[in-house]
mmCIF file of all heavy atoms in Angstrom:
data_model
loop_
_atom_site.group_PDB
_atom_site.id
_atom_site.type_symbol
_atom_site.label_atom_id
_atom_site.label_comp_id
_atom_site.label_asym_id
_atom_site.label_seq_id
_atom_site.Cartn_x
_atom_site.Cartn_y
_atom_site.Cartn_z
ATOM 1 N N GLY K 101 -4.168 -2.103 15.623
ATOM 2 C CA GLY K 101 -4.438 -1.984 17.037
ATOM 3 C C GLY K 101 -5.152 -0.694 17.383
ATOM 4 O O GLY K 101 -5.932 -0.623 18.313
ATOM 5 N N ILE K 102 -4.884 0.357 16.606
ATOM 6 C CA ILE K 102 -5.585 1.631 16.788
ATOM 7 C C ILE K 102 -6.764 1.727 15.835
ATOM 8 O O ILE K 102 -7.863 2.103 16.205
ATOM 9 C CB ILE K 102 -4.619 2.829 16.529
ATOM 10 C CG1 ILE K 102 -3.428 2.753 17.472
ATOM 11 C CG2 ILE K 102 -5.358 4.148 16.724
ATOM 12 C CD1 ILE K 102 -2.350 3.768 17.180
ATOM 13 N N GLU K 103 -6.511 1.372 14.568
ATOM 14 C CA GLU K 103 -7.526 1.549 13.530
ATOM 15 C C GLU K 103 -8.787 0.693 13.774
ATOM 16 O O GLU K 103 -9.876 1.064 13.389
ATOM 17 C CB GLU K 103 -6.942 1.202 12.145
ATOM 18 C CG GLU K 103 -5.839 2.145 11.691
ATOM 19 C CD GLU K 103 -6.351 3.432 11.082
ATOM 20 O OE1 GLU K 103 -7.554 3.489 10.750
ATOM 21 O OE2 GLU K 103 -5.562 4.376 10.930
ATOM 22 N N HIS K 104 -8.597 -0.502 14.390
ATOM 23 C CA HIS K 104 -9.758 -1.353 14.701
ATOM 24 C C HIS K 104 -9.880 -1.450 16.221
ATOM 25 O O HIS K 104 -10.696 -0.809 16.827
ATOM 26 C CB HIS K 104 -9.601 -2.719 14.045
ATOM 27 C CG HIS K 104 -9.386 -2.616 12.557
ATOM 28 N ND1 HIS K 104 -8.685 -3.534 11.820
ATOM 29 C CD2 HIS K 104 -9.760 -1.663 11.671
ATOM 30 C CE1 HIS K 104 -8.646 -3.158 10.546
ATOM 31 N NE2 HIS K 104 -9.291 -2.024 10.437
ATOM 32 N N SER K 105 -9.056 -2.273 16.832
ATOM 33 C CA SER K 105 -8.789 -2.274 18.283
ATOM 34 C C SER K 105 -7.731 -3.349 18.472
ATOM 35 O O SER K 105 -7.605 -4.259 17.637
ATOM 36 C CB SER K 105 -10.039 -2.579 19.109
ATOM 37 O OG SER K 105 -10.323 -3.967 19.127
ATOM 38 N N ALA K 106 -6.985 -3.232 19.564
ATOM 39 C CA ALA K 106 -5.947 -4.235 19.806
ATOM 40 C C ALA K 106 -6.569 -5.616 19.965
ATOM 41 O O ALA K 106 -6.059 -6.610 19.448
ATOM 42 C CB ALA K 106 -5.136 -3.858 21.051
ATOM 43 N N GLY K 107 -7.712 -5.687 20.646
ATOM 44 C CA GLY K 107 -8.386 -6.975 20.814
ATOM 45 C C GLY K 107 -8.814 -7.574 19.498
ATOM 46 O O GLY K 107 -8.549 -8.754 19.218
ATOM 47 N N ALA K 108 -9.460 -6.756 18.667
ATOM 48 C CA ALA K 108 -9.915 -7.257 17.362
ATOM 49 C C ALA K 108 -8.749 -7.727 16.502
ATOM 50 O O ALA K 108 -8.868 -8.678 15.737
ATOM 51 C CB ALA K 108 -10.685 -6.165 16.632
ATOM 52 N N SER K 109 -7.613 -7.040 16.651
ATOM 53 C CA SER K 109 -6.475 -7.321 15.786
ATOM 54 C C SER K 109 -5.625 -8.482 16.285
ATOM 55 O O SER K 109 -5.192 -9.332 15.514
ATOM 56 C CB SER K 109 -5.585 -6.071 15.675
ATOM 57 O OG SER K 109 -6.358 -4.986 15.223
ATOM 58 N N PHE K 110 -5.374 -8.520 17.601
ATOM 59 C CA PHE K 110 -4.363 -9.442 18.120
ATOM 60 C C PHE K 110 -4.935 -10.647 18.854
ATOM 61 O O PHE K 110 -4.177 -11.580 19.191
ATOM 62 C CB PHE K 110 -3.398 -8.683 19.046
ATOM 63 C CG PHE K 110 -2.745 -7.507 18.376
ATOM 64 C CD1 PHE K 110 -2.645 -6.282 19.016
ATOM 65 C CD2 PHE K 110 -2.217 -7.614 17.086
ATOM 66 C CE1 PHE K 110 -2.039 -5.196 18.388
ATOM 67 C CE2 PHE K 110 -1.624 -6.537 16.454
ATOM 68 C CZ PHE K 110 -1.540 -5.325 17.100
ATOM 69 N N ALA K 111 -6.233 -10.681 19.114
ATOM 70 C CA ALA K 111 -6.795 -11.874 19.777
ATOM 71 C C ALA K 111 -6.515 -13.173 19.008
ATOM 72 O O ALA K 111 -6.220 -14.178 19.627
ATOM 73 C CB ALA K 111 -8.304 -11.684 19.995
ATOM 74 N N PRO K 112 -6.566 -13.151 17.658
ATOM 75 C CA PRO K 112 -6.263 -14.409 16.942
ATOM 76 C C PRO K 112 -4.851 -14.938 17.218
ATOM 77 O O PRO K 112 -4.601 -16.134 17.129
ATOM 78 C CB PRO K 112 -6.422 -14.043 15.458
ATOM 79 C CG PRO K 112 -7.365 -12.888 15.471
ATOM 80 C CD PRO K 112 -7.026 -12.110 16.718
ATOM 81 N N ASN K 113 -3.897 -14.037 17.544
ATOM 82 C CA ASN K 113 -2.540 -14.464 17.855
ATOM 83 C C ASN K 113 -1.934 -13.454 18.848
ATOM 84 O O ASN K 113 -1.314 -12.468 18.442
ATOM 85 C CB ASN K 113 -1.682 -14.550 16.589
ATOM 86 C CG ASN K 113 -0.372 -15.256 16.843
ATOM 87 O OD1 ASN K 113 -0.072 -15.604 17.978
ATOM 88 N ND2 ASN K 113 0.415 -15.442 15.805
ATOM 89 N N PRO K 114 -2.139 -13.701 20.145
ATOM 90 C CA PRO K 114 -1.821 -12.695 21.171
ATOM 91 C C PRO K 114 -0.338 -12.328 21.283
ATOM 92 O O PRO K 114 -0.018 -11.340 21.947
ATOM 93 C CB PRO K 114 -2.318 -13.335 22.474
ATOM 94 C CG PRO K 114 -3.330 -14.345 22.051
ATOM 95 C CD PRO K 114 -2.853 -14.854 20.730
#
Side-chain angles (χ1 to χ4, degrees):
I102 301 173
E103 294 278 346
H104 305 152
S105 79
S109 304
F110 304 135
N113 192 356

